[in-house]
């Protein structure tokens, strides 16, 4: 006879393995209820160098990580340039709960890093340059601190290894998308107009609508699980590591926008404790510096990698 204690354990184990489903993209998207220790299989774009020339320094493969509400599509042109000019393979990933990658209820930097580590382990199988913007930057840093043997170089774009409140616009954007999702709009043009009540910049509204999909009823929805993202915002403001316990001693580049508040001067000593070989470069731009100053950004990154 099975004891009540054993029965409870069996039920709890079964519950742990159950997945629930949610509608997305006109179909059914599985949302994993697995623990954070289970990595997600990330979707990606791969950019191979068109040709190799002799004499140029060999650069490790590069993994590019987007920011919150972004996707692997955001930096296609930059990835193509890196592949051509650095003569190395570039992988642009969709992080969990973004783009075409799986949805899961856990969304913090340790789980985000776990997925990227699994990707490098299974697809690249050698130390890589890990470049990330914003949420992707903290994810890149987390990978280097958790699994330094997987990382050749860290490139952090407009974020720092500190606990800091997200820009006040971020919760507004998430709420705006949730509002649009509930309105039953028939076109992204209508969604663009509604978003204008929350954000004046047409470029940012277009960026937010890169997440738009058509739901089964023909109305505008979004491929990102907005409820999960909304609950995760506090975690994304954190940096859950201690510089007394972990650090990355490899080459590290921090690129910050001088019109952004994500990498304040007060954070520089903390950066040095986590990343003792860091270099800091300033760009006269805001948080979206990759799109604002693309050429300058690419030159900074390439000069750094080719000089190492």
């Amino acid at each position: 006879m099975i004891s009540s204690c054993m029965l409870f354990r069996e039920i709890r184990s079964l519950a742990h393995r159950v997945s629930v489903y949610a509608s997305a993209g006109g179909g059914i998207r599985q949302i994993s209820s697995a623990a954070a220790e289970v990595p997600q299989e990330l979707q990606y774009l791969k950019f191979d160098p068109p040709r190799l020339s002799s004499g140029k320094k060999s650069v490790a493969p590069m993994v590019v990580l987007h920011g919150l509400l972004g996707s692997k599509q955001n930096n296609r042109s930059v990835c193509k340039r890196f592949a051509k000019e650095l003569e190395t393979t570039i992988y642009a990933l969709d992080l969990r709960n973004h783009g075409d990658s799986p949805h899961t209820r856990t969304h913090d930097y340790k789980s985000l890093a776990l997925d990227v580590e699994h990707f490098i382990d299974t697809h690249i199988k050698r130390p890589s340059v890990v470049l990330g913007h914003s949420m992707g930057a903290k994810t890149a840093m987390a990978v280097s601190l958790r699994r330094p043997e997987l990382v050749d170089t860290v490139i952090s774009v407009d974020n720092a290894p500190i606990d800091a409140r997200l820009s006040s616009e971020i919760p507004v954007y998430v709420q705006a998308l949730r509002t649009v999702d509930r309105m039953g709009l028939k076109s992204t043009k209508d969604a663009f107009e509604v978003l204008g009540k929350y954000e004046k910049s047409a470029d940012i509204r277009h960026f937010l609508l890169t997440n738009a999909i058509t739901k089964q009823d023909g109305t505008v929805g979004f491929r990102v699980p907005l409820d999960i993202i909304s609950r995760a915002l506090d975690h994304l403001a954190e940096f859950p590591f201690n510089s007394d316990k972990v650090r990355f001693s490899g080459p590290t580049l921090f690129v910050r926008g001088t019109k952004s508040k994500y990498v304040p001067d007060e954070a520089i000593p903390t950066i040095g404790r986590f990343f003792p070989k860091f270099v800091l470069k300033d760009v006269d731009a805001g948080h979206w510096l990759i799109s604002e100053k693309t050429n300058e950004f690419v030159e900074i990154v390439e000069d750094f990698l080719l000089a190492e």
Side-chain angles (χ1 to χ4, degrees), residues 106-144:
T106 305
H107 193 93
D108 56 31
Y109 287 116
K110 291 183 178 180
S111 59
L112 289 163
L114 180 68
D115 299 341
V116 177
E117 294 157 10
H118 177 68
F119 183 88
I120 296 173
D121 277 331
T122 56
H123 291 273
I124 305 178
K125 301 178 182 179
R126 58 172 288 196
S128 304
V129 177
V130 186
L131 181 156
H133 171 251
S134 195
M135 178 184 75
K138 278 190 172 180
T139 302
M141 289 183 264
V143 172
S144 72

Side-chain angles (χ1 to χ4, degrees), residues 74-300:
N74 293 155
N75 299 306
R76 287 178 65 99
S77 60
V78 168
C79 290
K80 289 179 179 178
R81 282 190 63 179
F82 282 146
K84 178 181 179 181
E85 296 169 13
L86 294 173
E87 298 184 353
T88 193
T89 302
I90 311 296
Y91 300 85
L93 309 189
D94 276 338
L95 296 172
R96 63 168 59 194
N97 294 317
H98 288 75
D100 298 316
S101 285
H103 293 178
T104 176
R105 297 186 185 283
T106 305
H107 193 93
D108 56 31
Y109 287 116
K110 291 183 178 180
S111 59
L112 289 163
L114 180 68
D115 299 341
V116 177
E117 294 157 10
H118 177 68
F119 183 88
I120 296 173
D121 277 331
T122 56
H123 291 273
I124 305 178
K125 301 178 182 179
R126 58 172 288 196
S128 304
V129 177
V130 186
L131 181 156
H133 171 251
S134 195
M135 178 184 75
K138 278 190 172 180
T139 302
M141 289 183 264
V143 172
S144 72
L145 296 173
R146 286 163 46 95
R147 296 284 304 281
E149 75 279 6
L150 297 180
V151 180
D152 176 275
T153 304
V154 176
I155 301 176
S156 171
V157 185
D158 213 52
N159 218 332
I162 57 174
D163 292 343
R165 293 182 63 183
L166 298 177
S167 172
S168 59
E169 294 89 354
I170 299 299
V172 173
Y173 295 157
V174 174
Q175 183 56 47
L177 295 182
R178 295 178 75 178
T179 298
V180 169
D181 187 60
R182 293 191 294 263
M183 290 181 69
L185 301 176
K186 294 296 185 179
S187 72
T188 54
K189 181 179 179 181
D190 292 338
F192 183 84
E193 295 301 319
V194 171
L195 290 177
K197 300 176 182 178
Y198 301 87
E199 172 56 57
K200 293 181 179 180
S201 169
D203 287 341
I204 293 178
R205 280 185 275 164
H206 282 304
F207 164 74
L208 293 173
L209 287 174
T210 60
N211 292 289
I213 50 96
T214 301
K215 294 190 286 189
Q216 288 180 324
D217 63 0
T219 62
V220 176
F222 297 95
R223 60 172 50 90
V224 291
L226 294 170
D227 288 345
I228 292 173
I229 296 299
S230 180
R231 290 194 298 269
L233 292 180
D234 287 343
H235 293 304
L236 297 179
E238 300 169 350
F239 192 70
F241 299 93
N242 186 330
S243 60
D244 292 332
K245 297 180 179 179
V246 290
R247 65 185 58 191
F248 177 70
S249 59
T252 308
L253 173 65
F254 282 80
V255 186
R256 67 174 175 176
T258 56
K259 298 175 182 177
S260 172
K261 299 179 180 179
Y262 276 90
V263 189
D265 288 342
E266 301 80 51
I268 294 176
T270 302
I271 292 173
R273 287 192 290 273
F274 278 112
F275 304 97
K277 294 184 180 179
F278 84 97
V279 172
L280 176 64
K281 295 290 185 179
D282 287 341
V283 175
D284 182 21
H287 185 58
W288 310 97
L289 66 89
I290 298 178
S291 58
E292 290 180 45
K293 295 290 180 71
T294 303
N295 289 335
E296 185 176 353
F297 169 74
V298 169
E299 290 173 6
I300 288 172

